[in-house]
Amino acid sequence: MTLTSELARPHSWPAVDMAFHRQVAELADNPEGRRLQQGLAWKGNDGQPSMSHGVPLRLHSGWRERLTEFVAAYHRLIETIVSAHAADARLQRVMDVPEAWAQDVLAADDARVHLFRIDLLPQPDNGLKVLETNANCPAGLRSTGLDRAMWRPFLTERGIRLPEALPSDAPLWAGRWFLDLAEQETGTRPETVAVLRPRGSSSGSVDGIIADLTEAGVRVVVGDPRDLRSQNGGVALDGEPVRYAYSKIRIKHLMRMRHEVGPYLRALRDHTLFVQNGLRGRLIGESKLCLAVLSDPQFAGLFPPEAYALVKPSIPWSRNIALCDAATVREIRACPERYVLKRPLDSRGAGVVVGREVPGLSAWEDAVTLAVEERWLVQEYCHAPWIDMTPHGQSGKHDLALGAVNGRLVAAFSRVGTEERLNTARSGRAHPVYL
């Protein structure tokens, strides 16, 4: 086991164009800039802020091409894991599915991961470290695309040159990518789309796609997946047949609803209901234990060699802690500052224990014991880069989040915060990134 984190120190990322940042920070502090920023306070129909946003960043020339290639290769590797899992006992040992879900996942033959977001920590040598993959229903792609589009005329009118727009900057992107994908996968373009989310969850997570689908001329019906009923070999919502759905259901919510969503699961398995990423793509592709597979050399032969060679240097040391030998577990217990524990299917910063944040060795040892019992991911700690956003925003650590549809780079943003976990569900502020 070789860890790099002990050599790392807080650092800035050389790829960030700080001259651009200083220009934007100055413009953002004038009355017009402040008015623009007030217009970027995205809220859902429930009036609650959906995400806290900051001024845009820009990366130096050449990074768009590099990240496009990286995302395509990473997508190939994740889809390889999702596809191989059902028949590979080694994968199943590392990425065991909860018993209640095993039959559903193994019966599903949907090995595609249509939509995902990769969260990375840039490194001082311009390398990248992958923290996790969100292959369920990632947030931030639409809103930061709208940010880039809204900042563009403000900046270009003031003489600042910007690179070509990303796909998610386009009007109605959040609806059109789904319609294009559904037509590509099923051969028919949807006229009606159900937006599924559990009752009580924030509307801000789906308001954008509802608005874009509606403006694109599609009829939208909104409901809870528990309200779907079997009908004529498919499913219906309030008596209306449903063939296509944008599914905004966090994995832990889906787990709790397992015995209340039988029609939904059967429709996914029988391909009578299309949702992004299907079931296997979510439960396997979303699992943080994908990093344990990508990190472990014993799985190298599973992957396309060229894609694996490109991505492997960006995978921090990661393992299913329950499969580590006794000496490694002792090392993890003794050195909390070098490790992070992650519950495999949690999201929004929950189920993550950063060793250097834990108050005392005893509490860390308890966390390690729980992680072994529940078969969590253990990962080497990686330092986040630092960026100075003052006086025009929150200064602190930052990451890089990349969104992709079918392996094509569509979105990029950076979350800046003061905590180890930079999630916008916590203290992170999302800054759109121009590539």
Side-chain angles (χ1 to χ4, degrees), residues 229-289:
R229 298 291 180 264
S230 298
Q231 179 177 294
N232 298 328
V235 287
L237 183 63
D238 295 331
E240 179 172 353
V242 173
R243 177 71 182 84
Y244 305 92
Y246 177 81
S247 179
K248 181 67 177 182
I249 311 168
R250 279 193 255 164
I251 297 296
K252 66 180 182 180
H253 291 164
L254 191 60
M255 294 286 186
R256 292 192 200 117
M257 297 187 296
R258 168 67 184 83
H259 299 294
E260 302 175 82
V261 290
Y264 173 74
L265 296 176
R266 282 192 297 274
L268 293 183
R269 186 182 63 233
D270 297 341
H271 303 291
T272 57
L273 176 67
F274 173 83
V275 304
Q276 78 279 13
N277 294 354
L279 181 62
R280 198 193 301 175
R282 288 167 179 248
L283 290 177
I284 304 301
E286 169 87 353
S287 175
K288 294 174 177 63
L289 288 168

Side-chain angles (χ1 to χ4, degrees), residues 33-52:
R34 287 195 291 271
R35 280 195 294 272
L36 174 61
Q37 291 176 82
Q38 289 170 0
L40 298 178
W42 304 106
K43 293 184 179 181
N45 290 335
D46 56 7
Q48 297 302 309
S50 58
M51 186 176 286
S52 179

Side-chain angles (χ1 to χ4, degrees), residues 124-395:
D125 62 356
N126 270 335
L128 301 166
K129 292 296 182 184
V130 178
L131 292 185
E132 61 182 69
T133 312
N134 184 327
N136 187 20
C137 37
L141 308 189
R142 176 184 184 268
S143 58
T144 55
L146 291 174
D147 281 2
R148 273 189 303 275
M150 292 178 71
W151 277 101
R152 183 174 290 274
F154 176 84
L155 297 175
T156 55
E157 288 167 7
R158 289 158 178 78
I160 296 179
R161 297 181 63 184
L162 295 174
E164 179 184 354
L166 286 164
S168 60
D169 302 3
L172 311 187
W173 172 81
R176 285 180 171 150
W177 77 260
F178 181 85
L179 297 176
D180 291 343
L181 178 66
E183 183 176 15
Q184 176 185 331
E185 291 290 322
T186 69
T188 304
R189 196 167 186 83
E191 296 181 356
T192 299
V193 174
V195 173
L196 301 176
R197 67 178 178 91
R199 282 182 291 275
S201 60
S202 171
S203 70
S205 61
V206 296
D207 286 341
I209 193 164
I210 291 172
D212 286 2
L213 286 168
T214 301
E215 195 168 342
V218 173
R219 181 169 177 271
V220 177
V221 293
V222 181
D224 188 297
R226 289 168 290 192
D227 294 335
L228 291 172
R229 298 291 180 264
S230 298
Q231 179 177 294
N232 298 328
V235 287
L237 183 63
D238 295 331
E240 179 172 353
V242 173
R243 177 71 182 84
Y244 305 92
Y246 177 81
S247 179
K248 181 67 177 182
I249 311 168
R250 279 193 255 164
I251 297 296
K252 66 180 182 180
H253 291 164
L254 191 60
M255 294 286 186
R256 292 192 200 117
M257 297 187 296
R258 168 67 184 83
H259 299 294
E260 302 175 82
V261 290
Y264 173 74
L265 296 176
R266 282 192 297 274
L268 293 183
R269 186 182 63 233
D270 297 341
H271 303 291
T272 57
L273 176 67
F274 173 83
V275 304
Q276 78 279 13
N277 294 354
L279 181 62
R280 198 193 301 175
R282 288 167 179 248
L283 290 177
I284 304 301
E286 169 87 353
S287 175
K288 294 174 177 63
L289 288 168
C290 283
L291 275 295
V293 175
L294 293 173
S295 170
D296 192 337
Q298 73 164 309
F299 291 105
L302 181 69
F303 301 108
E306 189 173 327
Y308 184 74
L310 179 64
V311 171
K312 185 63 168 70
S314 297
I315 306 300
W317 182 88
S318 309
R319 293 291 188 272
N320 180 328
I321 191 171
L323 302 180
C324 291
D325 60 35
T328 300
V329 175
R330 283 196 299 271
E331 156 72 13
I332 294 166
R333 289 184 185 278
C335 303
E337 72 282 357
R338 298 176 65 185
Y339 297 96
V340 179
L341 304 172
K342 300 179 180 181
R343 184 180 279 116
L345 290 172
D346 263 353
S347 61
R348 297 170 63 84
V352 175
V353 182
V354 182
R356 57 188 59 209
E357 287 186 328
V358 175
L361 191 57
S362 176
W364 171 251
E365 289 177 344
D366 290 343
V368 172
T369 298
L370 177 65
V372 172
E373 291 174 355
E374 297 188 354
R375 303 176 67 81
W376 290 21
L377 179 80
V378 60
Q379 190 174 67
E380 66 171 300
Y381 174 86
C382 298
H383 286 272
W386 180 273
I387 189 166
D388 184 7
M389 304 299 292
T390 56
H392 311 288
Q394 185 180 45
S395 298

